[in-house]
Each structure stands twice: as C-alpha cells, then as structure tokens.
Amino acid sequence: MEDPKECGVEAALGLIDGKWKGVILFHLMSGRMRFNALARKLGAVTQRMLTKQLRELEADGLIVRTVYAEVPPRVEYSLSTKGKSLEPVICALKAWGDANVLGLPVQPERKAG
C-alpha cells in the first residue's frame, strides 16, 4: 500500500472533503460572492459551518477572501489561481453526479472559443 502522504488522490480529496467545500468551490466558479449569497445558494448550511469551511478553503489556498474598507465592511470570496485549477475536476464531479446520481441527461461539453 502506498504511503498516504504520496497519494495524489488522497491529497486532493483532503482539500475538498466534506459536504460543503466542493459545493462552495462550484458556486465560486461563477465569480465573486459575498457570505450571505453563498449561504443562500447552499441552503441548509449553518453560519458556523460555512465560516469554518471558508476558513479552511482560504487556509489551503483555494479561495481568496477580500475585505473592503467600507462601512459596513464588505467581504467577498473568490477562487484563487489554485482554486481555479480545480474547475475541470469540479465540472467532472458535477457531470458524473448529474448522470449517475440524479439521473439527468448528459450535457454535451462546451468547446472554448
């Protein structure tokens, strides 16, 4: 058996494990979002859990938290360069889940350009 420290799959899944991290990353693929907008998209997540997940994603370098010096303060979350590199993985997970869990028809891939 491989040393877990040398398994790329385990390392990658360790960054996006849990119920909310992958979904947070998916929603941030559409652009910057504020905390309450993310909470509305996720629905059943508690404020405490969302805060925890966002802090972990930020600590892992997958998202960027930007605080604007306004009154009241405005905070936005966006994907970092490292987080953007996960987009094909998140899209593949969504496509697989749509087809194999939700039973939705497979969407043809969009071609860039």
Side-chain angles (χ1 to χ4, degrees):
M1 184 110 197
E2 287 183 32
D3 180 352
K5 295 179 190 118
E6 296 178 14
C7 179
V9 173
E10 187 172 347
L13 289 175
L15 293 178
I16 60 170
D17 68 340
K19 183 174 181 178
W20 302 108
K21 287 183 183 178
V23 182
I24 291 167
L25 293 170
F26 173 74
H27 288 300
L28 288 177
M29 285 170 41
S30 14
R32 295 180 171 273
M33 294 184 80
R34 294 177 71 175
F35 184 91
N36 287 333
L38 271 170
R40 280 191 298 275
K41 290 275 188 184
L42 299 175
V45 69
T46 64
Q47 183 173 353
R48 180 178 175 185
M49 179 55 71
L50 180 54
T51 299
K52 179 181 184 289
Q53 299 288 272
L54 288 168
R55 284 183 182 156
E56 289 176 10
L57 288 167
E58 182 182 16
D60 290 334
L62 297 176
I63 65 170
V64 175
R65 179 178 184 262
T66 307
V67 180
Y68 296 91
E70 300 175 352
V71 178
R74 178 171 50 112
V75 178
E76 291 181 340
Y77 297 90
S78 60
L79 292 178
S80 66
T81 302
K82 186 176 176 182
K84 287 177 185 173
S85 72
L86 274 171
E87 285 188 31
V89 175
I90 301 294
C91 288
L93 282 170
K94 181 185 183 320
W96 189 90
D98 287 349
N100 295 288
V101 178
L102 301 178
L104 300 174
V106 178
Q107 298 293 320
E109 287 188 34
R110 289 186 177 178
K111 295 190 178 182

